[in-house]
Amino acid sequence: MVVHEREPFNAEPPRTALAGLAETPVDAFYSRNHGPVPDIDPAVWRLRVDGLVEKALELSSDDLRARFDEVEVVATLQCAGNRRAGLIEVRDVPGETAWGPGATATARWSGVRLADVLTEAGAAPTAGHVAFAAPDVSRLADPPQTYGGSIPIVKALRPEVLLAWSMNGRALPRVHGGPLRVVVPGWIGARSVKWLTRITVRAQPSGNYFQATAYRMLPPEADPSKAGPGEGISLGPLALNCDILSPDDGARLCPGPAKITGYALAGDDRTVARVDVSLDAGGSWIQAEVAEAAGPWAWQHWSATLDLPVGDVQIIARAWDCTGAAMPESPAHLWNPKGYANNSWARVRVRCA
Amino acid sequence: MVVHEREPFNAEPPRTALAGLAETPVDAFYSRNHGPVPDIDPAVWRLRVDGLVEKALELSSDDLRARFDEVEVVATLQCAGNRRAGLIEVRDVPGETAWGPGATATARWSGVRLADVLTEAGAAPTAGHVAFAAPDVSRLADPPQTYGGSIPIVKALRPEVLLAWSMNGRALPRVHGGPLRVVVPGWIGARSVKWLTRITVRAQPSGNYFQATAYRMLPPEADPSKAGPGEGISLGPLALNCDILSPDDGARLCPGPAKITGYALAGDDRTVARVDVSLDAGGSWIQAEVAEAAGPWAWQHWSATLDLPVGDVQIIARAWDCTGAAMPESPAHLWNPKGYANNSWARVRVRCA
């Protein structure tokens, strides 16, 4: 793993560790944290459900397993800061981690549907949002506070949103949110709150710093140190994205036919319609073969065999979604002060000799 | 209106006729037809509902009004070929109409929910798609056939999808589909089938030429005359788009502060998050003020006051949606053989002297 920070622990795998695998091994799954990883004793851990509900709940691990159906969803998570390094090449993004392509990964999650828990609690008709709280204290927040966030009730009631205790068939590791985390497929990873201890049904989005102030796309001229709650575009559903996973950026290859592979993810509840690869800066494109997804919330791997010329070669990939929308060309036009949502064309540079 | 063709009748208004109006006047609403406009006697007209239903229906105009609740939706329709002229500047699109920015417009539609009619008929659990048929014969189809199309049952059952007999408070004009048309908000106009006579619930999408072969985005190298059914990206939900509606392209203005206005439409079920305007080819942007929409399926008008320099000036606009996705820069990279879904940055050129 490429460790960006030890405390809070932030690390991503090299891109090639993600290549070709429908499920990312747990030890290659990116870690994005805002504070120290809490150490929770599952025996004393409880989940509170409160707010705009008929009946507040307090659930132990055993309660969750006994009172609700266990379901499994294969879902790709992606950090809103994934590919920030491409934006930093345009202009610095002070104070934010220079994530490469690896702040995205796919796992088979299992647990219970958030919808089932909300139904048991009886969400009120005035419910607009569902807020998640966790005990990890972040000094990055202003003022320092525990991590939290929310999603609209419409998304919270969808069957793909889980409270998960298992990842790829094994107990959810502590660093990935054990004993229990939220998994919000199709949305930025920030909403898949780890170490979940409390669910609050509200009329309005969470007032937590990471919902109200961070994870917002500010216009280029804004000063993020002065941006108050509610400014900018609150990020939730993921935008269409893709990346090249093999060969690695900077690889040395032989000229001639080479297999280029990567992933594409439509984000939100869209589907990937096409992936193109180019060796001539987008002048012409080869359509990649796109493999079937492991489910509607999982990335799709793609591959294309291209004839690499001698010399320094830039390989470009872009995806299209089911609306016929394509990823934009250049990170220059997507740069934003916190460096979120870089979904410009994917690029790796290789040397062929 | 700019008349592209007399038969079939295809016409759009100048962009300035759309500026600033929440609802487009009927006589400025674009007309996109694939065959002669049918002349239907409402007294003998019937709507058949059949296919995978428990009970086939045959409904008169009076039946529709008596047996279902009347509802109203303000919705923007947009032709998949809107802004094709921008793609033709890149490379010709033979055989297709050079639509400018005006193949989009907004009306207040009223009629009944398609969902209510489908519920009355009892759509079977195997229902996957809902096909619409009309009597207008198109010689553009191969072989010549009546116009048709379909939408997935999931969309068909949503409350915004109407069978409409009224437009902006008046009886639906014949040229806009009277006596009854489908209105599929958030989707390409081609699915809002006019002169509706038959609704068929099916397992698969419609086999009609305009669903199976046309309205598909082919890769640049494809030869559309050889593309068979099922090739390319079947267009349905609209992609994010915007345009400048005032000043007009080619206008002569005075240097100094000028109000630039336009519309933005997120498409599908997304929302517009921001609109930017630039005078320096995207080097810097001014955020436009975005007015509230008349409803979740209607465009949003925006305006910005910019200080125009002396000389030839290019004004650029782009929109962002709620995922933080932006419109792509250049039509060059979006060109496709049938010229669909141009959602590159909007541009007008003005002379300031």
Side-chain angles (χ1 to χ4, degrees):
Chain A
M1 298 286 272
V2 179
V3 176
H4 293 291
E5 273 178 294
R6 289 269 160 212
E7 190 63 57
F9 183 65
N10 284 303
E12 67 180 303
R15 68 177 78 219
T16 51
L18 301 173
L21 301 171
E23 289 172 16
T24 310
V26 169
D27 59 8
F29 203 104
Y30 75 97
S31 223
R32 169 73 178 110
N33 297 295
H34 303 80
V37 172
D39 193 1
I40 296 172
D41 179 354
V44 301
W45 173 90
R46 294 290 180 278
L47 174 64
R48 272 166 62 198
V49 184
D50 59 13
L52 301 172
V53 294
E54 283 166 28
K55 180 178 61 169
L57 307 175
E58 189 173 288
L59 300 164
S60 67
S61 291
D62 288 347
D63 292 337
L64 275 175
R65 284 160 175 79
R67 286 162 59 177
F68 304 96
D69 289 337
E70 184 170 349
V71 291
E72 192 173 84
V73 172
V74 180
T76 300
L77 296 189
Q78 185 164 99
C79 182
N82 186 50
R83 304 185 62 203
R84 181 178 287 130
L87 298 175
I88 290 174
E89 282 181 33
V90 174
R91 194 190 334 168
D92 194 21
V93 178
E96 299 291 335
T97 303
W99 294 99
T104 188
T106 303
R108 189 162 37 91
W109 310 96
S110 86
V112 300
R113 288 193 183 98
L114 172 58
D116 291 349
V117 173
L118 293 174
T119 302
E120 171 96 353
T126 51
H129 297 262
V130 175
F132 309 119
D136 51 322
V137 177
S138 177
R139 300 194 177 283
L140 307 170
D142 180 19
Q145 59 198 271
T146 52
Y147 188 81
S150 64
I151 58 175
I153 186 92
V154 175
K155 179 70 177 175
L157 291 176
R158 288 182 55 143
E160 70 270 13
V161 180
L162 298 191
L163 308 179
W165 58 68
S166 159
M167 183 179 181
N168 293 351
R170 305 185 64 167
L172 185 65
R174 192 182 142 207
V175 73
H176 290 298
L180 193 80
R181 75 175 297 170
V182 190
V183 175
V184 187
W187 283 48
I188 61 166
R191 307 305 176 219
S192 289
V193 174
K194 295 188 276 194
W195 314 295
L196 183 70
T197 53
R198 189 175 174 188
I199 295 170
T200 305
V201 179
R202 302 165 48 98
Q204 298 298 328
S206 166
N208 186 282
Y209 173 83
F210 295 98
Q211 182 74 42
T213 304
Y215 293 110
R216 285 177 173 267
M217 186 186 280
L218 300 168
E221 71 279 8
D223 176 352
S225 72
K226 292 188 182 132
E231 288 186 34
I233 303 172
S234 176
L235 296 171
L238 279 167
L240 174 70
N241 220 327
C242 82
D243 218 327
I244 297 162
L245 298 176
S246 172
D248 205 353
D249 191 40
R252 287 165 176 274
L253 303 173
C254 296
K259 192 173 175 188
I260 316 297
T261 73
Y263 82 87
L265 182 71
D268 200 8
D269 48 11
R270 293 204 173 159
T271 54
V272 172
R274 201 172 91 205
V275 176
D276 302 329
V277 187
S278 176
L279 294 182
D280 60 359
S284 64
W285 300 91
I286 300 285
Q287 267 193 71
E289 203 158 322
V290 182
E292 250 183 82
W297 305 102
W299 61 13
Q300 287 179 265
H301 286 281
W302 53 262
S303 67
T305 299
L306 298 184
D307 202 25
L308 298 180
V310 174
D312 289 326
V313 179
Q314 181 175 231
I315 308 171
I316 297 179
R318 63 171 179 180
W320 299 73
D321 76 16
C322 52
T323 69
M327 289 161 57
E329 295 94 302
S330 164
H333 299 299
L334 304 182
W335 189 94
N336 60 91
K338 301 269 279 182
Y340 293 129
N342 178 12
N343 75 336
S344 60
W345 293 355
R347 295 163 199 266
V348 302
R349 290 157 193 89
V350 297
R351 171 157 289 185
C352 303
Chain B
M1 299 285 273
V2 179
V3 177
H4 292 291
E5 274 177 293
R6 288 269 159 212
E7 190 62 58
F9 184 65
N10 284 303
E12 67 181 304
R15 68 178 78 221
T16 51
L18 302 173
L21 301 171
E23 288 172 17
T24 310
V26 168
D27 60 8
F29 203 104
Y30 75 98
S31 223
R32 169 72 179 111
N33 296 297
H34 302 80
V37 172
D39 193 1
I40 297 171
D41 178 355
V44 300
W45 173 90
R46 294 290 181 277
L47 174 65
R48 272 165 63 197
V49 184
D50 58 13
L52 301 172
V53 294
E54 282 165 30
K55 182 178 59 168
L57 306 176
E58 189 173 287
L59 301 164
S60 67
S61 291
D62 288 347
D63 292 336
L64 275 175
R65 285 160 175 79
R67 287 163 57 178
F68 305 96
D69 289 338
E70 185 170 349
V71 291
E72 192 173 83
V73 171
V74 180
T76 301
L77 296 190
Q78 185 164 98
C79 181
N82 186 51
R83 301 184 65 203
R84 182 178 287 130
L87 298 175
I88 290 174
E89 281 181 33
V90 174
R91 193 189 337 167
D92 195 20
V93 177
E96 299 290 335
T97 303
W99 294 99
T104 188
T106 302
R108 189 162 36 90
W109 310 95
S110 86
V112 299
R113 288 194 182 97
L114 172 59
D116 290 350
V117 173
L118 293 174
T119 301
E120 171 96 351
T126 50
H129 297 262
V130 177
F132 309 120
D136 51 322
V137 177
S138 176
R139 300 195 177 280
L140 306 170
D142 180 20
Q145 58 197 271
T146 53
Y147 188 82
S150 64
I151 58 174
I153 186 92
V154 174
K155 179 69 177 176
L157 292 175
R158 289 182 54 143
E160 70 271 13
V161 180
L162 297 191
L163 307 179
W165 58 67
S166 158
M167 184 178 179
N168 292 352
R170 306 184 65 168
L172 185 63
R174 193 182 141 206
V175 72
H176 290 299
L180 193 79
R181 75 175 297 169
V182 190
V183 174
V184 187
W187 283 48
I188 60 167
R191 308 305 175 218
S192 289
V193 174
K194 295 188 275 193
W195 313 295
L196 183 69
T197 53
R198 188 174 173 189
I199 296 171
T200 305
V201 179
R202 300 165 48 98
Q204 299 299 328
S206 167
N208 186 282
Y209 174 84
F210 294 98
Q211 182 74 42
T213 305
Y215 293 111
R216 285 178 173 266
M217 186 187 280
L218 299 169
E221 70 280 7
D223 176 353
S225 72
K226 292 188 183 135
E231 287 186 33
I233 303 171
S234 176
L235 296 171
L238 279 166
L240 174 69
N241 220 328
C242 82
D243 219 326
I244 297 162
L245 297 176
S246 172
D248 204 353
D249 192 40
R252 287 164 174 275
L253 303 173
C254 295
K259 192 174 175 189
I260 317 297
T261 73
Y263 82 89
L265 181 70
D268 199 9
D269 48 10
R270 293 203 172 159
T271 53
V272 172
R274 201 173 91 204
V275 176
D276 302 330
V277 187
S278 176
L279 294 181
D280 60 359
S284 65
W285 299 91
I286 301 285
Q287 267 193 72
E289 204 159 319
V290 182
E292 250 183 82
W297 305 102
W299 61 13
Q300 286 179 265
H301 287 280
W302 54 261
S303 67
T305 299
L306 299 184
D307 202 23
L308 298 180
V310 174
D312 289 326
V313 179
Q314 181 175 233
I315 308 170
I316 296 178
R318 64 170 178 180
W320 300 72
D321 75 16
C322 52
T323 69
M327 288 161 57
E329 296 94 306
S330 165
H333 298 300
L334 304 182
W335 190 93
N336 60 91
K338 301 269 281 180
Y340 293 130
N342 180 11
N343 76 336
S344 61
W345 293 356
R347 294 162 199 267
V348 301
R349 290 157 193 89
V350 297
R351 170 158 289 186
C352 304

